[in-house]
Amino acid sequence: MIKYQKTKTLATKDNNNSANCIAPNVIYGCFGGCVNTYCYMSRYNGTRVFVNENVDDIFNSVVEWEKSYVKVPDQQDPVYTMVDIASNSDLVLMQKHMPIPLHDYLKMYDDHPTLNTTMATKYPGLLNLDVNHFNKKPRVRVSLMPQIYSDVLEPKMQRIVSRIHDINRLKDLGWEVHINYSPLIFVKGWRQEYNDLFKSVLEIAGENKCEVIALTNHANQMNKASVEAQELMKYSSEIKNKDGVMRYPLSYKTKLIAQFKEIYGLYFNLQTIRYIF
């Protein structure tokens, strides 16, 4: 179901992870293969998609927010104020449903002297937009996990090795490419799976900056997930907040993240991890 509307939710939100702020949604919802498993957006939204047509209002919300924001060099970017334009959708996958072309939306930010865009995607193969003529490189974060987990948690989506091969292609198109190791999965055998993944990334795409986010869970997700997906998700079971969001128990999550960094450090400089939690 797709509903076209003018959003009244025009609040740009502070952020300190993937970006300096999160823009109001141009699209809320997605048709990606992870909607019925770990996708946090679908905990309450399901498969509904809302396309917000008042793009100028959305952009102006970010511009107004930025007027009172003091940018300092940080892990998001040393120069520009980074705006996550797709926190509740994969705009690469959903670009044909956007109210204006993706190029035009990105260019609104590119023409601003201090704003720049970032978005994550699990479908980098669908991104063919050449942005070499832009004033600054927009950032795309390519989401990766071991294929054995992807088969279960994001069925029928672009293959992981194919996503890795797209990294250098996107750089040639003018994009700044980071890797999004999300969700990070801790189950029996995970160390070897991530070791093999890092080896493939290094061989195919070299070293890139990245972000790492461990799997979170929710009862609504478990209720609709397949039995196989539930097996991968069930260890993220410690209640995190009053909304019922669950995470890996902190009693051992810290140790597991340290082990993840050990493996990562065999292939890449640890300074390339922008943040991890």
Side-chain angles (χ1 to χ4, degrees):
M1 177 199 112
I2 299 182
K3 180 180 179 181
Y4 292 85
Q5 62 180 21
K6 290 187 177 181
T7 183
K8 297 179 180 178
T9 308
L10 289 168
T12 295
K13 300 177 182 179
D14 293 355
N15 189 253
N16 193 36
N17 295 322
S18 297
N20 296 116
C21 68
I22 299 174
N25 297 303
V26 172
I27 296 181
Y28 183 78
C30 192
F31 295 142
C34 58
V35 167
N36 286 325
T37 55
Y38 68 86
C39 179
Y40 66 88
M41 177 277 306
S42 67
R43 285 170 185 161
Y44 304 103
N45 191 56
T47 57
R48 296 176 297 172
V49 172
F50 299 91
V51 177
N52 297 318
E53 298 177 299
N54 49 332
V55 176
D56 287 342
D57 294 335
I58 291 170
F59 175 70
N60 287 333
S61 169
V62 180
V63 172
E64 288 301 313
W65 173 91
E66 201 259 352
K67 287 178 181 178
S68 60
Y69 179 74
V70 179
K71 173 68 182 184
V72 297
D74 50 27
Q75 61 87 0
Q76 284 89 358
D77 193 81
V79 177
Y80 298 113
T81 300
M82 300 304 297
V83 183
D84 193 329
I85 60 169
S87 67
N88 289 301
S89 188
D90 187 326
L91 289 187
V92 175
L93 172 65
M94 302 295 289
Q95 59 186 299
K96 67 181 181 181
H97 301 291
M98 290 186 65
I100 64 173
L102 177 61
H103 170 279
D104 295 357
Y105 187 50
L106 293 171
K107 200 70 178 69
M108 294 171 76
Y109 293 92
D110 184 59
D111 288 338
H112 190 280
T114 56
L115 297 176
N116 200 6
T117 56
T118 178
M119 61 180 179
T121 185
K122 298 176 177 64
Y123 295 89
L126 299 179
L127 187 55
N128 298 301
L129 184 60
D130 190 320
V131 293
N132 281 299
H133 61 289
F134 274 35
N135 300 306
K136 44 191 180 283
K137 290 179 179 291
R139 180 181 301 164
V140 61
R141 302 168 349 252
V142 176
S143 297
L144 301 179
M145 69 175 77
Q147 186 63 55
I148 191 173
Y149 307 147
S150 178
D151 288 341
V152 175
L153 295 178
E154 40 185 39
K156 300 180 181 180
M157 296 176 74
Q158 183 175 345
R159 301 282 294 177
I160 297 299
V161 70
S162 172
R163 299 183 204 180
I164 298 171
H165 277 285
D166 276 317
I167 290 173
N168 286 335
R169 181 184 64 82
L170 292 175
K171 290 178 182 178
D172 289 341
L173 288 174
W175 292 83
E176 179 187 23
V177 184
H178 290 189
I179 294 175
N180 176 32
Y181 292 109
S182 172
L184 172 55
I185 310 296
F186 295 126
V187 292
K188 184 178 179 180
W190 72 270
R191 296 172 184 83
Q192 186 61 52
E193 293 296 339
Y194 279 94
N195 182 83
D196 294 345
L197 176 60
F198 297 149
K199 183 178 179 181
S200 294
V201 171
L202 183 60
E203 290 176 349
I204 298 170
E207 186 171 77
N208 301 271
K209 290 185 178 180
C210 73
E211 57 191 26
V212 188
I213 308 171
L215 176 74
T216 58
N217 200 359
H218 191 277
N220 289 355
Q221 292 167 271
M222 291 295 279
N223 289 339
K224 62 184 178 180
S226 67
V227 173
E228 294 80 8
Q230 289 176 9
E231 280 297 308
L232 292 181
M233 297 161 61
K234 68 181 182 181
Y235 299 104
S236 182
S237 58
E238 181 176 270
I239 300 296
K240 177 182 178 182
N241 58 34
K242 64 181 181 180
D243 295 323
V245 176
M246 297 181 284
R247 63 187 172 199
Y248 290 109
L250 291 180
S251 58
Y252 67 89
K253 178 182 177 183
T254 302
K255 297 177 183 177
L256 293 173
I257 285 180
Q259 292 172 15
F260 174 93
K261 291 169 72 174
E262 267 183 41
I263 303 167
Y264 184 89
L266 297 175
Y267 297 91
F268 308 110
N269 188 329
L270 289 176
Q271 296 303 311
T272 58
I273 300 178
R274 289 179 40 231
Y275 68 91
I276 181 170
F277 65 85

